[in-house]
């Protein structure tokens, strides 16, 4: 056994030993985070630290606020939560004597930070202030939307609607009924075509296959990246693991992408998102071609690159599960690149990722991307299960063959004996 084989064997043994510990730690983190969830009263109290917040009896979204040294009666506040793009958000507001929303505030959110910044910069809160509490609070109807962050806006308006309509009924008013429409737009249709092009690549005409990677790349960057701004991230997938599932009627694109990933995993045994659907991957590929450089990574970095990404993936998931905040450990620069809204460390990571792509092929994907590693782990597990299934079937074939031969032999023997008895009876 040479040195390389020995090292590979030790690595596999170490990975098998540590995998159960990693999975157990993630499950414990998820459970601890789940147990630490708090209600609206605690969230409001944490936001308005110098006031006493009390929930009104038999009301879900009505709270009384008593300011320090306040001599008059407690004022009323209304608050509710709803899911945005990456998770729940909490909206609070007051209602004046003319039944209109006032002082709308985003109290808390675990949504993608870049989208929230975009919404607040476009003065979404001002669009909510002044609305009558009986209004439907429907994007495109009585509320103007915000480009590039539709789902965050939908979550904000839904939270305000729930609390406003409850107060309207309490005041003897009749709120407008709301029917959630199915938002299957042009971007969703183009995304569906893109997914079908990837899944059925071999069935396409030869003339189309010749330009397949170019067509897929352009559609991915334009539709998933800049137009719909729907590039997946670890935060968006972890939000699903935390139970923050957006309404499929409002966000069909997400479910189209998820379905494509699952079909590619189970049917093709491939990570088709990272290889063909991810817009950031195509931008890296184009930059690498422009750079015309191919710096070879040091052998030690090549050997340990996967382990580095594994640690990043584990650490990010632990923080997300413990805090139940998918955005807290999200360092991926996708939203910043495609919406030009970024926060914190993303301002440093995006230039690093783009610059590295000029010199190293798939720089971000190979060294830093936690989402790609998570999907690749799923592919590896699928291959392991398939291999075990085939191995079990191969072992089972001889046993089945022997059992069939024995059955045939017993059947033949009993037939001969039966025939002999019949001949004897005739004699």
């Amino acid at each position: 056994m040479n040195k390389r084989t020995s090292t590979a064997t030790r690595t596999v043994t170490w990975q098998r030993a540590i995998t159960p510990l990693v999975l157990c730690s993630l499950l414990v983190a998820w459970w601890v985070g789940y147990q630490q969830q708090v209600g609206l009263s605690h969230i409001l109290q944490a936001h308005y630290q110098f006031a006493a917040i009390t929930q009104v009896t038999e009301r879900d979204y009505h709270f009384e606020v008593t300011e320090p040294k306040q001599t008059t009666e407690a004022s009323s506040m209304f608050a509710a939560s709803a899911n945005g793009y990456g998770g729940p958000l909490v909206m609070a507001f007051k209602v004046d004597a003319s039944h209109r929303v006032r002082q709308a505030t985003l109290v808390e959110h675990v949504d993608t930070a870049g989208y929230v910044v975009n919404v607040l910069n476009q003065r979404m809160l001002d669009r909510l202030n002044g609305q009558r509490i009986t209004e439907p609070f429907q994007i495109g109807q009585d509320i103007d939307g915000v480009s590039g962050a539709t789902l965050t806006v939908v979550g904000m308006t839904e939270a305000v609607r729930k609390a406003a309509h409850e107060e309207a009924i309490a005041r003897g008013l009749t709120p407008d009924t709301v029917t959630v429409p199915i938002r299957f737009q042009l971007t969703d249709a183009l995304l569906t075509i893109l997914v079908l092009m990837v899944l059925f690549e071999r069935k396409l005409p030869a003339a189309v296959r010749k330009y397949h990677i170019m067509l897929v790349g352009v559609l991915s960057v334009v539709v998933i990246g800049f137009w719909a701004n729907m590039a997946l991230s670890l935060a968006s997938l972890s939000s699903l693991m935390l139970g923050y599932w957006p309404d499929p009627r409002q966000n069909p694109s997400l479910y189209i992408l998820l379905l494509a990933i699952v079909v590619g995993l189970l049917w093709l045994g491939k990570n088709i998102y990272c290889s063909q659907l991810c817009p950031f991957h195509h931008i890296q590929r184009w930059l690498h071609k422009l750079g015309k450089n191919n710096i070879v990574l040091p052998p030690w970095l090549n050997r340990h690159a996967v382990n580095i990404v594994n640690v990043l993936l584990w650490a990010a998931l632990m923080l997300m599960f413990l805090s139940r905040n998918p955005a807290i450990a999200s360092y991926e620069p996708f939203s910043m690149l495609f919406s030009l809204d970024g926060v914190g460390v993303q301002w440093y990571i995006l230039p690093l990722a783009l610059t590295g792509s000029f010199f190293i092929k798939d720089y971000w994907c190979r060294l830093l991307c936690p989402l790609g590693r998570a999907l690749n782990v799923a592919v590896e597990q699928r291959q392991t299960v398939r291999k075990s299934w085939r191995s079990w079937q191969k072992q089972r074939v001889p046993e089945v063959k022997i059992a069939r031969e024995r059955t045939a032999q017993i059947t033949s023997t009993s037939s001969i004996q039966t025939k002999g008895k019949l001949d004897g009876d005739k004699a």
Side-chain angles (χ1 to χ4, degrees):
M1 182 182 293
N2 57 36
K3 185 177 180 180
R4 182 177 296 179
T5 305
S6 176
T7 303
T9 303
R10 286 199 302 270
T11 301
V12 172
T13 303
W14 177 80
Q15 288 177 345
R16 287 178 178 175
I18 201 172
T19 297
L21 297 177
V22 170
L23 293 177
C24 287
S25 65
L26 291 175
L27 289 173
V28 170
W30 188 95
W31 179 252
V32 170
Y34 178 79
Q35 293 297 317
Q36 291 179 346
Q37 293 183 97
V38 295
L40 284 174
S41 296
H42 291 84
I43 295 173
L44 294 173
Q45 190 66 69
H47 185 77
Y48 301 98
Q49 297 180 3
F50 301 105
I53 309 293
T54 307
Q55 186 170 2
V56 175
T57 306
E58 297 183 356
R59 293 286 295 275
D60 293 328
Y61 310 122
H62 187 181
F63 301 85
E64 289 185 345
V65 182
T66 305
E67 300 288 346
K69 300 180 181 180
Q70 183 174 343
T71 57
T72 59
E73 292 184 0
S75 59
S76 293
M77 177 184 291
F78 307 91
S81 66
N83 277 342
Y85 174 70
L89 47 82
V90 177
M91 292 291 297
F93 59 92
K94 293 185 178 182
V95 179
D96 62 15
S98 60
H99 314 305
R100 294 186 180 275
V101 172
R102 300 297 178 193
Q103 301 179 31
T105 305
L106 178 61
V107 174
E108 185 182 76
H109 73 87
V110 296
D111 213 336
T112 304
Y115 299 147
V116 174
V117 170
N118 183 24
V119 168
L120 297 180
N121 286 342
Q122 296 192 47
R123 307 180 68 85
M124 180 61 200
L125 297 178
D126 291 340
R127 305 181 194 186
L128 294 170
N129 288 324
Q131 296 287 330
R132 287 183 59 85
I133 58 176
T134 55
E135 296 291 337
F137 294 93
Q138 193 73 38
I139 300 299
Q141 186 173 340
D142 59 322
I143 301 289
D144 293 331
V146 171
S147 60
T150 303
L151 297 178
T152 301
V153 174
V154 168
M156 294 173 69
T157 53
E158 183 183 348
V160 172
R161 182 197 309 126
K162 289 193 291 188
H165 283 188
E166 182 190 69
E167 176 61 11
I169 294 172
R171 294 188 179 196
L173 305 174
T174 303
D176 293 341
T177 57
V178 177
T179 55
V180 180
I182 299 176
R183 293 181 61 256
F184 194 85
Q185 300 176 333
L186 180 58
T187 52
D188 303 305
L190 291 174
L191 178 59
T192 303
I193 293 172
L194 173 60
V195 167
L196 293 176
M197 286 177 62
V198 171
L199 291 176
F200 298 98
E201 177 183 355
R202 296 182 180 179
K203 303 293 184 181
L204 295 174
V208 177
R209 285 204 307 271
K210 183 178 179 181
Y211 303 100
H212 180 266
I213 189 65
M214 182 184 69
L215 291 172
V216 168
V218 171
L219 279 175
S220 173
V221 172
V222 172
V223 177
I224 300 178
F226 289 103
W227 193 351
N229 201 5
M230 284 292 300
L232 293 181
S233 65
L234 184 63
S236 57
L237 289 189
S238 65
S239 66
L240 302 179
M241 290 186 277
L242 291 171
Y244 308 147
W245 288 78
D247 191 336
R249 293 171 296 182
Q250 294 291 312
N251 189 10
S253 293
L254 175 62
Y255 291 92
I256 293 171
L257 280 176
L258 291 177
L259 180 61
I261 291 172
V262 172
V263 172
L265 172 66
L266 298 179
W267 180 35
L268 302 176
K270 295 179 181 179
N271 175 6
I272 64 170
Y273 180 79
C274 291
S275 62
Q276 300 197 59
L277 293 175
C278 176
F280 199 77
H281 166 73
H282 291 288
I283 288 177
Q284 283 188 104
R285 186 170 56 83
W286 296 340
L287 291 177
H288 186 67
K289 285 186 176 182
L290 287 174
K292 297 182 179 179
N293 295 301
N294 194 15
I295 297 178
V296 179
L297 294 176
W300 66 269
L301 186 55
N302 257 333
R303 287 196 305 270
H304 299 292
V306 171
N307 292 330
I308 293 172
V309 183
N310 283 341
V311 172
L312 291 173
L313 173 62
W314 174 81
L317 288 176
M318 287 291 290
L319 287 173
M320 291 174 181
F321 289 167
L322 286 170
S323 64
R324 293 193 69 79
N325 183 348
I328 194 172
S330 177
Y331 60 88
E332 296 148 301
F334 310 140
S335 64
M336 177 182 174
L337 175 63
F338 298 116
S339 67
L340 302 180
D341 288 308
V343 292
V345 73
Q346 292 177 345
W347 288 103
Y348 304 98
I349 290 180
L350 180 60
L352 174 67
L354 295 180
T355 303
S357 300
F358 277 100
F359 305 100
I360 300 172
K361 185 178 181 181
D362 293 333
Y363 170 74
W364 172 265
C365 303
R366 292 167 62 186
L367 300 178
L368 293 169
C369 184
L371 173 65
R373 183 57 194 149
L375 295 178
N376 287 336
V377 167
V379 172
E380 291 168 6
Q381 294 304 312
R382 184 259 191 193
Q383 302 292 9
T384 301
V385 171
R386 186 182 182 189
K387 195 179 209 181
S388 301
W389 172 258
R390 287 186 172 181
S391 176
W392 178 78
Q393 281 192 321
K394 286 181 180 179
Q395 293 176 356
R396 188 171 176 270
V397 166
E399 298 176 359
V400 173
K401 186 176 180 181
I402 292 171
R404 287 177 179 174
E405 290 177 352
R406 287 179 178 175
T407 303
Q409 185 177 4
I410 293 172
T411 304
S412 176
T413 303
S414 68
S415 302
I416 294 171
Q417 292 176 349
T418 304
K419 185 178 180 181
K421 287 182 179 180
L422 291 174
D423 290 343
D425 292 340
K426 287 178 182 180

